[in-house]
Amino acid sequence: MPTIVVHSFILSFANISQDWIIAPEGYAAYVCRGHCNFPIPSHLSPTNHAILQNLMHLMDGHTIPKPCCAPKELSPIMVLYFDDDSNVVMKKYKNMVVKKCSCF
């Protein structure tokens, strides 16, 4: 049975040299962690590709890796920043916070 979890991960914009961002200073981005073992439960909504890759991994684990644990559902964040002309802009950036993970 796979152990798939959304694990805490705080991203600081200062740590990645993004001094043009006014706010937030960082945010809880979260990451997916876990293993996509056979069989993948249906509640994880695995792709058909993940199911077949898992079966192929069982037959040839040295060549074919297990499917990847990856974000399935993400949410946006609002960012206040300076644009190229030094104007202050507020923008919603999609797909920034992991909400759910699955096997792909």
Side-chain angles (χ1 to χ4, degrees):
M1 180 164 182
T3 307
I4 305 294
V5 295
V6 177
H7 187 75
S8 179
F9 170 66
I10 306 299
L11 187 140
S12 168
F13 289 119
N15 288 344
I16 56 173
S17 300
Q18 301 304 320
D19 57 357
W20 52 275
I21 296 176
I22 302 167
E25 292 180 10
Y27 72 101
Y30 299 99
V31 294
C32 295
R33 287 194 179 162
H35 303 284
C36 297
N37 297 322
F38 183 81
I40 303 172
S42 60
H43 77 274
L44 290 176
S45 304
T47 62
N48 289 334
H49 182 275
I51 293 167
L52 291 173
Q53 183 173 337
N54 217 335
L55 290 170
M56 294 302 297
H57 172 76
L58 290 173
M59 294 172 25
D60 185 4
H62 297 291
T63 305
I64 309 296
K66 290 181 183 179
C68 298
C69 171
K72 175 184 177 184
E73 184 179 317
L74 298 115
S75 64
I77 63 168
M78 295 298 290
V79 177
L80 190 65
Y81 67 94
F82 293 109
D83 69 9
D84 293 338
D85 297 320
S86 297
N87 297 310
V88 176
V89 177
M90 181 176 278
K91 180 177 177 180
K92 180 190 269 187
Y93 281 88
K94 296 179 184 178
N95 301 328
M96 297 289 284
V97 179
V98 174
K99 293 294 187 183
K100 292 183 182 177
C101 301
S102 189
C103 295
F104 294 92

